[in-house]
Amino acid sequence: MAGTDQLSAVFSALADPTRRGILAELATRDATVTELTAPLSISMPAVSRHLKVLERAELISRSRSGKWRASRLEAAPLREAAVWIERYRRFWDSSLSRLDAHLAAVQAAARATDRMAGDPKELA
Amino acid sequence: MAGTDQLSAVFSALADPTRRGILAELATRDATVTELTAPLSISMPAVSRHLKVLERAELISRSRSGKWRASRLEAAPLREAAVWIERYRRFWDSSLSRLDAHLAAVQAAARATDRMAGDPKELA
DNA sequence: AATACGTTTAACACATTGGTTAAGTGAAGG
DNA sequence: CCTTCACTTAACCAATGTGTTAAACGTATT
């Protein structure tokens, strides 16, 4: 999973399109493993393990009722993922702070050029 | 990487704390491989491969200048990741649409209990 | 009681990942 | 030149991820 921290677990869980599909499904309704498996072209054990990954990332919770296990979306960890990504918004959202991004880019480029073309000691 | 689509590549790249650290560094300035390696406790080849992962996800671009290769943050793919996650905002951000989420939850529970053999209370 | 159903676990195969060290490439510089 | 420097590639290893099928488990059904 790369890291063992929460954020890594969440991003890792989101890295699989099947799991993103499951989350999308759960956004509309709680669902059993069988229901989640139906539209997919993989076996139920495979889905079961995807659910375990999502559960470990705390993106879903599961309840038992007789022989059925319902999965429910738990979106809280997505908030932290969103917070992490939002810190980079100014780098893509030029309408919000075009000047910021431009200045940052220019300054970064200048520093990089200095380091790369200029005094080698700056590299240390 | 789970999937070969762009989103999977991006989330997969973000799943590693070392790579997130590299992106954070590049958010402040372009940097060479050596500079990026310095604060880390891994070898330069390891960093080089992390950069390749980031490059494949198009989260960075790289330029050559003599024997130096500078990496630059390219945040555009983060926008799509943010867009994907934002679709779930209402599930965690109760202040924005508490009613929406509540209604969705109630309806989902109702549908789920209907499907689940008619015992009305297990999911509620 | 016996069977069917929903789900998980086990055992296996195979690809990918993330790290290492050592060797290769190509530009810089004495 | 010939070496040094920045970086990449190759070869290898251990661990993890994703899928499979078959077996196990517990509840429902008849």
Side-chain angles (χ1 to χ4, degrees):
Chain A
M1 175 201 304
T4 45
D5 54 297
Q6 171 81 356
L7 208 42
S8 297
V10 170
F11 280 135
S12 185
L14 296 183
D16 187 295
T18 298
R19 286 193 291 264
R20 290 198 304 276
I22 290 174
L23 291 179
E25 190 88 7
L26 293 178
T28 73
R29 45 159 188 145
D30 292 3
T32 66
V33 182
T34 299
E35 288 171 324
L36 291 172
T37 303
L40 301 174
S41 52
I42 59 178
S43 65
M44 183 149 25
V47 174
S48 190
R49 293 209 310 194
H50 278 304
L51 292 175
K52 192 180 290 185
V53 170
L54 291 170
E55 192 175 22
R56 212 174 60 215
E58 296 177 48
L59 285 164
I60 66 170
S61 62
R62 313 177 77 182
S63 60
R64 309 175 78 191
S65 169
K67 56 182 174 181
W68 295 279
R69 300 203 64 186
S71 296
R72 155 170 305 182
L73 179 65
E74 299 286 349
L78 289 182
R79 182 174 55 77
E80 287 156 54
V83 165
W84 189 91
I85 292 181
E86 282 305 317
R87 302 210 321 258
Y88 294 87
R89 173 176 287 281
R90 71 189 197 90
F91 287 99
W92 78 72
D93 189 22
S94 61
S95 77
L96 264 198
S97 62
R98 185 194 308 265
L99 186 58
D100 266 11
H102 177 65
L103 286 181
V106 167
Q107 290 171 6
R111 276 193 304 273
T113 304
D114 285 344
R115 282 195 310 278
M116 294 171 61
D119 189 341
K121 275 171 267 178
E122 290 183 58
L123 275 175
Chain B
M1 175 198 302
T4 45
D5 54 297
Q6 172 81 357
L7 251 194
S8 297
V10 170
F11 280 135
S12 184
L14 296 184
D16 187 295
T18 299
R19 286 193 290 265
R20 291 199 303 276
I22 289 174
L23 291 180
E25 190 88 7
L26 294 178
T28 72
R29 44 157 189 143
D30 292 3
T32 65
V33 183
T34 299
E35 288 171 324
L36 291 171
T37 302
L40 301 175
S41 52
I42 59 178
S43 65
M44 181 150 22
V47 173
S48 189
R49 293 208 311 194
H50 280 304
L51 292 175
K52 192 180 289 185
V53 170
L54 292 170
E55 193 174 22
R56 213 175 59 216
E58 296 176 47
L59 285 164
I60 66 170
S61 62
R62 312 177 75 181
S63 60
R64 306 181 63 187
S65 169
K67 56 182 174 181
W68 295 278
R69 301 203 62 184
S71 296
R72 155 168 305 180
L73 179 66
E74 299 286 350
L78 290 181
R79 183 175 54 77
E80 289 156 51
V83 165
W84 189 91
I85 292 181
E86 281 305 317
R87 303 211 319 260
Y88 295 86
R89 172 177 287 280
R90 71 193 194 89
F91 287 98
W92 78 74
D93 189 23
S94 61
S95 76
L96 263 197
S97 65
R98 184 193 309 266
L99 185 58
D100 265 10
H102 177 67
L103 287 179
V106 167
Q107 290 170 8
R111 276 193 302 275
T113 49
D114 285 345
R115 283 193 313 279
M116 291 172 64
D119 187 328
K121 289 167 188 72
E122 51 230 4
L123 278 177

